[in-house]
Structure formats: structure tokens, C-alpha cells
Amino acid sequence: MTEKRFILLIVIIIAVQIKAQPTEWKIFSTKNSGVFNPQIISMAVDKIGSIWSMMKSGDILKYDEKQWINIDLQISGIPKSSLKKIVIDKYNHKWFLTNGYGLAKFDGTDWTIYNKSNSGIKDNITNALAFDSLGNIWIGTEENGLIKFDGSNWIQYRTGNSDIPENKITAIEIDKYNIKWIGTWWSGGVAKFNDTSWVVYNRTNSGLEHFINDIHSDRNNNIWIANQSGISRISNNVWSHYFYTQAAIFKTIAEDSKGNIWAGYDRSPTYNKFSFMYHDGIQWISFSKDTIGSIPIVEIEVIAVNDSDIYFGTYDRGVIKFNSNNFTLYDKINTGIQNDYVKAVAYDKSGNILIGTYGSGIVFHKSDKNTTSWR
């Protein structure tokens, strides 16, 4: 990758004088970058390291570290504002989940649209997407269950023709044995599917609460589930539930290079002692207000992990980095970030950090892997 001056790309749409920032930060406005809508809702990095960013308006931008390219979404019958998430598969195809218009795929040249009228999706609201090791595509819908697509045939799994417990799918995780773990809404819990039979876990047979937000299969094939009541784990068919008595809401789960499981704590009406915690395989290790110093207790929206650093995107305090038991806060007070509501964080293949803010565009910061500091 060509060596460049380390930069921070931020969209600023209000015409105000910006106070001086540290020299390592550089502000890019709408006049000198390709970003023209500051509300970033989803980001992904493709196989060659280009950054794909999706804005609330549905506009798509690709940045290859040399130029911004506006991906003009002239898709017949699909308004750009209906797009809600971008996913990139192993073939470098870009997939877009939509709110009311099915599933869109971009292969680099052509668009393919899958919806109720031309495919077996059966639902135009798509919530989740995953790819198994056999090349099958698994699609979670809003009202019509789970869809499998093998490239030719469509198979629908819903409450009327299978043992899936709920037709609103919120999360899909596929473990190393190619078993599908399907998160549902309301009281459906999680369904385990091995392509032949179903096992459903809910509060009646496992203690698992409902409203599934995220599912993660760790390196030991334990399944971790974030929901509206806490964190749950199934290990060797034994269930463990954490933080349920505090009614703590968790949105996201991530695993670091040591195998620790980090939980993205959102909020709890009775439990606001900490934001940062991980499970080391035996117990939860949490960082209290006393141990993290001036770092605020915050709601975690997203977690991104690389070899040595963990980044937490927060609801209203920017990005917090964890490295070797130290926390560092990057927000609009000590950096050029103009909005502290972070909806997306990702690493590219070189370890550079991409931060999607909800109101002030994209932050791109090139990081040297040989140091814990940012240039």
C-alpha cells in the first residue's frame, strides 16, 4: 500500500469555523472529499482493501485511498433510501439489505434484485444475511422467516412449514460445523438448524430470553447470544446466562485474538456500573468507573477487534480504544471528530480504522501496527 500522510476524513456540513486540532488530524469537508451525506449507517471493506460506505440516504461511496467513487444506484424500482446494510461475500460481491424492496447484489458490473415478484424470498424486508461453507445464501426476513438460496433453488423456512419458532429473523450465525443459529424477535428465541432438523431454545427450555440482537460462534464453537435481557452462552449443550437480573441490554458481541468475548453493553434501568467487559472463558472481567479513569460509562453500539486493539463505537462519546488494559477516548473534544454517535467501526486488511458516524461522515485513520499510538 502506498505510504501516505496519515489522515482523518470527516464530513462537515455546517459552515462554522473549526478550532485548531492536533497536527495528526486533518479535516476533509464536502468540498474536498466524495462524502456528501454525513449519516453513515453501514460500512464494509472489500477483498482488495477498498472501503464501501452507505449513508442514510442510500448513497454508496467506495474509497480506494486514492479517490472517492460514487456508486450510482440506478436500480429500477428501488429507492436508495430503502437500503439499510451492506455485506461483502468471499467473491467480492456486494449485497444490500433493504427495507421493503428485497435483496440487491452488485457484482462489480451488474445489479441483481431478488424480491417477492421474481424470487423465492417471499418478503421484501430483509434483516440478516449469511453465507455457509457450501456457497448457500441464508436470508432473514421481517415476516416470512428464513430463506435458503443455493444459486438455483429457493427454500423457505417459516412457522407454517418448519419448526422455526418465529417468522421475524434478526440475526444469522453459521458455525464451523456449518450449523445455522437463527435469532428471532419476540418470544421465539434462537433456532439451531443442521439442514435436517431444528432445535429451538427459548425461556421455557433453556432460560434464554427473547429479542435476539446478535449471535457469535467463538473459536471453541461456543455460541454467544446478545439479547434485550443480557448475554447467554451455550457450551456443550449447557446454558449460562449473564446479567439477566439487571435487565441489561446488549447489542453486539466480538472475540479478540486471545479468545476473550467482549460484550457491547447498551443500557439497563438498574445497572449502570460499567460499559466494558469481557469473558475470559471462566468469568467476566469488567472495568469499573474506578479503573477506567476519565473514560465515560457509555452505551456501546459496535465493537471492532484486530490483533492488539479493540475499538468501541458509542452512542454519544465517539470511539474508545482498549489496548493492554488502557483505555483511550477519541471524541470531538480531543480530535477532529464532529459527531460522537458512532454506528459502524471496521478494520481494513492493513489495520487502518474506519469509523462511521451518524451525522458527521466517515473517519479514516491510518494506523502503524508497530506502535500503539495513532499518527
Side-chain angles (χ1 to χ4, degrees):
M1 184 177 294
T2 302
E3 185 68 21
K4 295 181 180 180
R5 179 183 178 183
F6 294 108
I7 58 172
L8 172 66
L9 297 177
I10 292 181
V11 175
I12 302 172
I13 59 172
I14 52 176
V16 297
Q17 181 68 33
I18 301 174
K19 65 181 180 180
Q21 302 294 342
T23 56
E24 67 266 27
W25 300 94
K26 184 176 181 180
I27 307 301
F28 281 72
S29 72
T30 54
K31 295 181 180 180
N32 64 355
S33 77
V35 183
F36 50 89
N37 186 306
Q39 293 177 314
I40 308 301
I41 62 173
S42 182
M43 293 193 304
V45 180
D46 68 21
K47 305 308 176 186
I48 61 173
S50 296
I51 304 150
W52 292 69
S53 301
M54 185 165 68
M55 293 163 269
K56 186 180 180 181
S57 62
D59 292 294
I60 306 295
L61 287 171
K62 183 177 79 168
Y63 180 62
D64 62 4
E65 295 196 48
K66 295 180 180 179
Q67 62 180 338
W68 293 93
I69 302 171
N70 179 20
I71 307 301
D72 192 12
L73 298 182
Q74 298 298 324
I75 311 175
S76 178
I78 298 184
K80 292 187 290 185
S81 59
S82 71
L83 303 181
K84 60 184 184 181
K85 186 175 182 180
I86 178 172
V87 179
I88 299 178
D89 66 20
K90 67 179 181 180
Y91 304 107
N92 222 25
H93 298 155
K94 287 74 184 178
W95 297 79
F96 299 89
L97 303 176
T98 77
N99 188 21
Y101 296 88
L103 183 66
K105 182 184 80 169
F106 181 59
D107 65 6
T109 303
D110 300 316
W111 288 91
T112 304
I113 310 303
Y114 303 104
N115 55 39
K116 289 198 301 185
S117 65
N118 68 358
S119 74
I121 281 186
K122 307 294 184 183
D123 196 327
N124 283 335
I125 301 178
T126 48
N127 295 333
L129 184 67
F131 309 93
D132 69 21
S133 60
L134 301 176
N136 300 309
I137 302 167
W138 297 83
I139 306 158
T141 72
E142 179 75 8
E143 297 180 341
N144 277 282
L146 178 71
I147 309 297
K148 174 186 175 182
F149 181 48
D150 65 7
S152 300
N153 304 303
W154 300 85
I155 301 175
Q156 180 187 30
Y157 303 97
R158 52 171 294 127
T159 54
N161 67 356
S162 74
D163 290 330
I164 199 168
E166 170 68 42
N167 287 328
K168 181 174 180 177
I169 309 302
T170 57
I172 304 172
E173 174 77 347
I174 301 176
D175 69 22
K176 65 181 181 181
Y177 299 112
N178 218 31
I179 294 174
K180 292 78 188 174
W181 296 83
I182 312 302
T184 71
W185 201 236
W186 299 111
S187 59
V190 168
K192 174 184 176 182
F193 185 49
N194 65 4
D195 294 317
T196 303
S197 59
W198 296 85
V199 179
V200 176
Y201 300 103
N202 54 38
R203 61 175 59 168
T204 62
N205 66 355
S206 66
L208 176 67
E209 285 292 344
H210 52 269
F211 298 104
I212 307 304
N213 293 321
D214 193 17
I215 306 174
H216 174 73
S217 174
D218 69 20
R219 64 187 62 190
N220 297 315
N221 215 46
N222 302 311
I223 304 300
W224 297 83
I225 301 165
N227 58 57
Q228 300 290 92
S229 298
I231 291 281
S232 297
R233 179 186 68 171
I234 179 171
S235 178
N236 295 320
N237 294 318
V238 176
W239 281 93
S240 301
H241 305 289
Y242 308 98
F243 312 108
Y244 273 35
T245 58
Q246 290 84 31
I249 299 173
F250 289 85
K251 287 186 176 180
T252 185
I253 305 167
E255 183 175 2
D256 68 21
S257 60
K258 298 178 181 179
N260 298 317
I261 301 298
W262 291 81
Y265 174 79
D266 184 6
R267 62 187 181 276
S268 165
T270 60
Y271 202 65
N272 288 303
K273 295 182 180 179
F274 52 80
S275 299
F276 311 99
M277 67 198 78
Y278 68 87
H279 196 281
D280 64 1
I282 300 174
Q283 62 183 339
W284 286 97
I285 309 297
S286 62
F287 299 87
S288 68
K289 184 66 176 175
D290 295 332
T291 61
I292 62 177
S294 60
I295 301 300
I297 300 298
V298 291
E299 298 177 10
I300 305 300
E301 293 286 316
V302 63
I303 304 173
V305 178
N306 74 354
D307 293 339
S308 59
D309 299 328
I310 301 168
Y311 284 83
F312 302 88
T314 76
Y315 174 73
D316 61 356
R317 290 307 303 268
V319 175
I320 296 170
K321 182 179 77 170
F322 176 79
N323 178 284
S324 300
N325 290 321
N326 295 314
F327 288 90
T328 305
L329 174 67
Y330 299 100
D331 63 7
K332 60 186 178 183
I333 296 175
N334 66 355
T335 72
I337 298 174
Q338 296 297 301
N339 188 293
D340 285 336
Y341 184 9
V342 177
K343 293 279 286 183
V345 180
Y347 292 94
D348 67 15
K349 64 181 180 181
S350 300
N352 304 314
I353 310 303
L354 298 309
I355 301 168
T357 71
Y358 195 69
S360 292
I362 303 167
V363 177
F364 174 69
H365 207 350
K366 194 169 185 179
S367 179
D368 186 342
K369 289 185 176 181
N370 296 319
T371 178
T372 57
S373 64
W374 291 37
R375 297 186 185 178

